[in-house]
Amino acid sequence: MSITATTASASTTTNQPITADNIIRLFPDIDTSSTAAACTTPHDGDLAGYDEEQIRLMDEVCIVLDHDDTPVGTASKKACHLMKNIDQGLLHRAFSVFLFDSRNRLLLQQRASEKITFPDMWTNTCCSHPLGIPSETGSDLEASIQGVRRAAQRKLFHELGIPAEQVPLDDFKFLTRIHYKASSDGKWGEHEIDYILFIKADVDLDINPNEVQYTRYVSDVELRAMFKEGTLKFTPWFRLICQSMLFEWWEHLDKGLEGYQAEAIIRRM
C-alpha cells in the first residue's frame, strides 16, 4: 500500500510503501531492538543557528511507524522531522490536545519563535510526540491511546505549566487518528499519525516562553473569525482538523461526543 496522506504543502512524495521492511532498509539508523531505546543524532550543520534548548529537544526519541500505526522502532526527533527523510516515507506517532474550559472555549497557543518547526504559528492547545519509552508506546490501539494520554499530560505541563492533577489521564477523550504530511520550510516538516484528544478542564497556566508565545481562549465563532483575518498563520495539522471535523465535534462537546470517540480507522489527510 502506498502513502495516501495528502501533503499540506508542496514536497516530493516517495512511491515506497510504508512497511517495516522498507523503513528499516531506507533508514538503517532506526533502533529496532526496543521501542524504549534511543536513536540520537549528533548536533551537526542541520541544527546550526537554532535555539540551544530546541536543539537539545531534537535528541528526544520518537516512535517510528508503518502505514498502519504499528511501531517499527525509534529515531530521533531530528531524524523524524527532516524533509529528506519524510519524503522517503519516515513516519512517526504524534498527538494533538484540544483543551476546553467550563465555558466550552478552546485554549489556543501561538508557538514560540524559537521552535525549529512551524515557529510563530497559532495552533491547538498542545501538539507533540509520545516518546519511545514503555509508558508512552503501545502496539495495539488501546495501549497506544493510553501512551499518548501520558505524553499529553507530560507536555501540557512542559509547555503550559498545567499540573497533572488538573488534567487526569482518564479525562482525555480519544476521538480519532489523522495521517498527514506537511513541510515547514522545505528543510523541516511533519509526517505523522496524529492522535486527537479532547479534554474539558479549568486549568492554571504557567507558560514556558521557549515553547509558547501567547495563549488565547476562543469560542467557535471567534476561531472562525481568526481564520478569516488573513494575517494569522496556523499549523497545517490544526488547519486540517478545523477544515474537517473540529466544529462538528465542538458542537457535541457536552452532548453526543461519545458518538465520535474511539474511531478505529485512520483518517488519511
Side-chain angles (χ1 to χ4, degrees), residues 105-121:
R105 297 179 303 169
L106 174 62
L107 178 60
L108 304 181
Q109 66 156 278
Q110 185 181 20
R111 292 163 67 87
S113 298
E114 289 84 354
K115 299 289 283 186
I116 294 173
T117 60
F118 307 100
D120 303 312
M121 292 189 182

Side-chain angles (χ1 to χ4, degrees), residues 66-80:
D66 69 9
H67 188 264
D68 297 315
D69 193 29
T70 303
V72 173
T74 61
S76 69
K77 182 178 176 182
K78 175 195 167 185
C80 288

Side-chain angles (χ1 to χ4, degrees), residues 44-52 55:
D44 55 24
D46 286 325
L47 293 169
Y50 290 106
D51 175 80
E52 284 299 318
I55 290 174

Side-chain angles (χ1 to χ4, degrees), residues 123-144:
T123 194
N124 50 288
T125 313
C126 181
C127 346
S128 192
H129 316 91
L131 300 178
I133 58 177
S135 63
E136 296 186 10
T137 302
S139 56
D140 60 41
L141 184 56
E142 183 177 354
S144 298

